[in-house]
Amino acid sequence: MSRIAYVNGQYIEHRRAAVHIDDRGYQFADGIYEVVAIVGGRLIDAELHWQRLERSLREMKISAPMSRAALSHVIAEVIRRNGVADGIVYLQITRGVAPRDHVFPKKVRPAVVVTVKRTKPVDPKLVARGVDVISLPDIRWGRCDIKSLSLLPNVMAKQAAKEQGAYEAWLVDQDGNVTEGSSTNAWIVSAKGTLVTRKAGPEILNGVTRLAVLALARAEKMKIEERSFSLKEALKAKEAFITSTTNFVMPVVRIDGKTIGGGKPGPFARKLREHYIAHMATA
Ligand code: PMP
């Protein structure tokens, strides 16, 4: 069965799927995206993804290409045509196709791409061992809360992490505080045993997994602080971990080569991962 993508109204073979060279996503990264996990044929936390998608469109002043119901139908159809039960949906909406000009084109229809990919779960050995992160200066723009296509600093950071044998890069702002990972949210368990993650704001993407894990931690009556934490504090933390749609909850055991919490995944990360996996069965 060949892979099928949806591109601007058509379902086509993935290897032939293409957008126009004047697509503003291609020229200006003038668009937004979402990545949603498919588990057992269901979209996980779909409502939160819809809300973030619609917010990103509003903030970018891109009109909705179609109703939520219509877009849901397209996504379900791409999943069905690809026969994927476990994987991810990638949904991208750009401002559209128009002659290159920085100013928004007057009459333009947003361009929509939907693809689906079968994915394997993250290697359980990695989860059991925990991963390394490196720290890098956060050189991104001031609206990281928008899930825009403009990911060059994130791409550069992830590549640097990979080249240094690390799994992720934590980005550090000018005050020495961790904002988030290149494609994940960053968490610590402070020396006092409080779960800490940065408050949602323009400096970070408010991860859907972040929101779900916060709700699970609240239900577990864990002590939580949504606040900034410095790299220095992270280095002294009892635990560290990252969250995202593809990683769920992933323990971090080294930051810049320095061991965190004895170099082993801790109980908070383990528990929250278990709760998150259970949550996915009903989300
Ligand atoms: N921060 C950034 C910069 C990201 O790209 C992602 C993944 N899209 C996240 C955080 C995690 O978000 P989510 O839990 O919605 O996948």
Side-chain angles (χ1 to χ4, degrees):
M1 184 163 75
S2 55
R3 233 182 124 192
I4 301 294
Y6 173 89
V7 184
N8 294 325
Q10 289 185 302
Y11 296 92
I12 34 185
E13 257 188 82
H14 191 275
R15 61 197 170 99
R16 292 185 205 284
V19 293
H20 195 275
I21 56 167
D22 278 342
D23 189 300
R24 290 176 66 91
Y26 180 57
Q27 291 179 336
F28 297 116
D30 187 2
I32 59 106
Y33 73 106
E34 277 294 325
V35 177
V36 188
I38 313 164
V39 177
R42 293 171 39 250
L43 297 178
I44 302 305
D45 281 325
E47 177 59 29
L48 293 174
H49 284 283
W50 283 121
Q51 285 174 14
R52 187 170 65 185
L53 173 85
E54 286 161 4
R55 179 177 184 278
S56 293
L57 287 174
R58 275 199 308 278
E59 294 296 316
M60 300 261 295
K61 300 186 168 69
I62 296 174
S63 55
M66 57 182 98
S67 68
R68 214 194 250 206
L71 207 45
S72 279
H73 173 78
V74 169
I75 292 170
E77 188 58 18
V78 179
I79 293 174
R80 190 187 69 75
R81 289 189 188 220
N82 287 280
V84 170
D86 295 288
I88 52 168
V89 175
Y90 178 79
L91 165 63
Q92 176 178 301
I93 301 171
T94 70
R95 197 176 305 279
V97 176
R100 189 180 182 280
D101 182 355
H102 286 59
V103 174
F104 296 173
K106 276 218 174 68
K107 276 194 194 137
V108 72
R109 266 196 311 173
V112 183
V113 168
V114 178
T115 59
V116 162
K117 192 166 80 174
R118 193 168 283 115
T119 54
K120 284 200 202 108
V122 173
D123 183 359
K125 272 189 248 145
L126 212 55
V127 181
R129 264 203 317 263
V131 298
D132 276 64
V133 303
I134 58 164
S135 68
L136 287 173
D138 192 342
I139 58 167
R140 299 173 303 159
W141 73 324
R143 289 304 307 274
C144 297
D145 56 315
I146 302 172
K147 202 162 170 60
S148 92
L149 296 176
S150 169
L151 290 174
L152 189 51
N154 308 60
V155 166
M156 299 296 283
K158 187 75 98 191
Q159 179 63 20
K162 170 136 201 213
E163 285 172 9
Q164 294 181 42
Y167 188 78
E168 176 61 303
W170 276 12
L171 308 175
V172 180
D173 68 15
Q174 293 193 339
D175 300 321
N177 292 321
V178 175
T179 51
E180 61 182 331
S182 71
S183 66
T184 59
N185 287 111
W187 304 67
I188 58 167
V189 177
S190 75
K192 284 187 182 154
T194 305
L195 190 59
V196 184
T197 194
R198 195 172 174 121
K199 203 160 70 154
E203 314 82 22
I204 65 162
L205 184 77
N206 193 358
V208 163
T209 322
R210 174 189 179 280
L211 288 169
V213 168
L214 273 175
L216 294 167
R218 265 184 219 115
E220 280 298 296
K221 308 254 185 305
M222 290 177 177
K223 260 180 33 191
I224 308 163
E225 288 175 8
E226 286 182 77
R227 62 161 171 88
S228 297
F229 61 88
S230 64
L231 187 61
K232 235 168 113 185
E233 183 180 5
L235 290 169
K236 285 186 281 187
K238 283 194 165 141
E239 287 185 41
F241 61 90
I242 52 178
T243 57
S244 78
T245 295
T246 49
N247 285 286
F248 310 159
V249 177
M250 174 65 88
V252 170
V253 289
R254 265 175 304 276
I255 303 174
D256 291 333
K258 297 178 191 95
T259 300
I260 307 301
K264 286 208 179 89
F268 277 72
R270 202 162 42 232
K271 208 175 216 183
L272 287 169
R273 185 178 175 88
E274 278 166 18
H275 283 299
Y276 186 74
I277 288 169
H279 157 81
M280 287 195 294
T282 56

